[in-house]
Amino acid sequence: MRHLKVGIIMGSQSDWSVMKESAIILEELKIPYEKKIISAHRTPDRLWEYGETAIERGVAIIIAGAGGAAHLPGMMASKTQVPVIGVPIPTTALSGLDSLYSILQMPKGYPVATMAIGNPGASNAALLATSILSLNDSEISKRLMAWRQDLSRSIEETPRE
Ligand code: RP5
């Protein structure tokens, strides 16, 4: 079977400090991925090319982070049938609520699975991508199960003083 990968894309270099949380999780779970800066506004041709070739290049799921007028996830969902998970990047002016609403409010027909704002959203995007891939890969499924069990075990029952 061809090796499928996750595509992590982001609107700017400045998004990487959040989007690296997706990469960290994918590395922990040994999921192949690639990462690219693709701006819906500054590099629209790059966006089009990426969406056009995603399936043939084995990209199974796209995690797209963007901030402010965050059009990248929605535009990518318009261009490819590969499922898109959106990560709203925190912003200085509006704390990421702008990003959240931009990504969340897609019109019928072109969904984006929208995560929480910022680092937890970026981590969860990678976990959701892994969960989707695990449907067709028992090894990934086992690794995800172990990861979740480790997290549960790390939570203490009694709060420390
Ligand atoms: C968006 O504009 C990017 O996703 C980024 O979150 C935001 C600001 O970009 P920079 O001005 O920092 O490059 O397109």
Side-chain angles (χ1 to χ4, degrees):
M1 195 182 81
R2 197 158 60 117
H3 233 64
L4 297 174
K5 62 185 165 198
V6 173
I8 302 177
I9 61 174
M10 64 215 82
S12 167
Q13 174 66 47
S14 64
D15 297 333
W16 176 243
S17 60
V18 173
M19 297 312 293
K20 73 174 176 0
E21 299 298 323
S22 293
I24 289 168
I25 296 283
L26 293 177
E27 279 170 29
E28 281 176 17
L29 289 160
K30 299 184 174 54
I31 306 294
Y33 73 93
E34 64 181 19
K35 57 181 193 289
K36 293 200 183 306
I37 297 171
I38 300 176
S39 168
H41 306 116
R42 293 166 175 160
T43 66
D45 294 343
R46 205 183 293 173
L47 186 160
W48 229 234
E49 163 83 10
Y50 192 89
E52 193 95 1
T53 60
I55 290 175
E56 69 201 41
R57 294 189 310 101
V59 176
I61 299 165
I62 294 170
I63 298 174
H71 294 138
L72 175 64
M75 288 304 294
M76 193 55 83
S78 297
K79 187 59 185 163
T80 177
Q81 269 183 235
V82 172
V84 176
I85 304 173
V87 179
I89 302 292
T91 55
T92 315
L94 298 171
S95 309
L97 264 187
D98 44 352
S99 324
L100 176 69
Y101 289 159
S102 292
I103 296 173
L104 188 65
Q105 293 292 5
M106 288 296 288
K108 179 178 178 179
Y110 295 90
V112 171
T114 308
M115 301 290 103
I117 298 169
N119 288 5
S123 299
N124 278 344
L127 290 165
L128 181 59
T130 304
S131 171
I132 295 167
L133 291 174
S134 76
L135 294 171
N136 284 312
D137 188 320
S138 58
E139 291 306 312
I140 294 178
S141 177
K142 277 186 222 157
R143 292 203 292 275
L144 180 58
M145 209 177 296
W147 191 96
R148 289 163 60 110
Q149 283 167 354
D150 284 350
L151 178 61
S152 288
R153 271 195 288 267
S154 76
I155 309 297
E156 290 177 22
E157 205 169 336
T158 310
R160 285 187 301 269
E161 289 306 325

